[in-house]
Structures are given as structure tokens and as C-alpha cells.
Amino acid sequence: MLREVKPLAPEVEAVLREKLANNPFVRFMGVEVPELGEGFARFTLEIRPDFHNSQGFLQGGVIAALADEAVAYALFSLVPEGEMISTVEMKINFLAPAQLGVLEAQALIRKRGRTLSLGEVEVTQGTRLVAKGMCTYIHLPPPLQAA
């Protein structure tokens, strides 16, 4: 999924970085975000033993969660501040097990629509492809403010 990443305007990146800093799930998981771009995000995750399943492999839900968050932030880079998004569908193929080390999720928005958007994600460990996914998000209006 190689592509030239267009940098974000500094103010847009600052908003996304603040959103990441205030995301309790991202903090809990220990996700790092070395790169954000227009319609692009690269997330990394150090595998911890408490992320393992009963067989000693990384539990697939952790991989899916990392993939979903990466695609969401790639999409956040393209939507107006205050607009909400929500995952409506996710398809992920688990291609190789992981046990130790660092995973990397690279997410790219393939279609930014008015109501629905589609993102693609690859989760790798070094040069090995661990998972490949497609995520569909719905765009929601900002919540109404109480009077």
C-alpha cells in the first residue's frame, strides 16, 4: 500500500494529536502514532503478554482495534472539526500470527464520501503482512448543544 503521503497543515495535525492524547483507548493500548498525513495514518503497537490469547498469540481483536483506530484517524484528517464518524462495517483478514515485538498499521482513505467513507489498512510486523482490512465509516453531524 505504498503511496506518497501529503503532510497535514500544522493546525490540523495539532488537533489530531490532541484528539489522540485524549483518547483513553489509544492510551490504554499504548499505541504510538509516528505519522499522520492527509487521508493517511501510521500507528504502532508494542505487543504485551496481556494481549495474548490462550494459545500465546496476539488476540485478533487487538489487531482489529489497532486497524480501526488507524483508519479512523486517517479519516479524521479529512473531515471538518466537530464532525463525528462511526465504523459501520469492518472486514479484516488475519494472515499471520504475532507474538512479540511491534505491529505497524498503515491506513489510507480510499473514498471520502458525503455520507460514507472507505478506508484500507495493512497491519505488518517488519516485512510480514499480519492482517489486511477494509473499514466503512458513516459521517454524523456534530451533536446538538443543549440550550
Side-chain angles (χ1 to χ4, degrees), residues 5-26:
V5 178
K6 187 174 178 187
L8 293 172
E11 59 276 7
V12 173
E13 181 153 356
V15 167
L16 289 179
R17 295 273 176 200
E18 183 176 344
K19 185 184 289 272
L20 281 159
N22 292 317
N23 183 322
F25 185 74
V26 167

Side-chain angles (χ1 to χ4, degrees), residues 47-49 51-60 96-100:
I47 299 171
R48 302 188 320 232
F51 291 161
H52 286 178
N53 62 22
S54 63
Q55 298 180 90
F57 295 115
L58 180 62
Q59 206 278 340
Q99 288 181 299
L100 304 168

Side-chain angles (χ1 to χ4, degrees), residues 110-131:
R110 290 294 184 185
K111 168 90 168 74
R112 166 49 168 118
R114 188 176 50 81
T115 305
L116 295 174
S117 290
L118 179 70
E120 177 182 10
V121 61
E122 289 184 353
V123 180
T124 57
Q125 188 172 43
T127 59
R128 186 173 59 151
L129 185 60
V130 172

Side-chain angles (χ1 to χ4, degrees), residues 1-9 12-13 16 33 35-43 67-80 85 105-113 117-122 133 135 137 139:
M1 181 184 356
L2 296 175
R3 119 184 225 292
E4 186 178 324
V5 178
K6 187 174 178 187
L8 293 172
V12 173
E13 181 153 356
L16 289 179
V33 185
E35 188 177 12
L36 293 167
E38 280 191 21
F40 177 84
R42 184 165 60 92
F43 281 28
D68 186 32
E69 288 289 339
V71 178
Y73 278 87
L75 183 54
F76 278 136
S77 74
L78 301 176
V79 300
I85 61 170
Q106 287 195 37
L108 177 63
I109 300 305
R110 290 294 184 185
K111 168 90 168 74
R112 166 49 168 118
S117 290
L118 179 70
E120 177 182 10
V121 61
E122 289 184 353
C135 302
Y137 294 83
H139 298 262

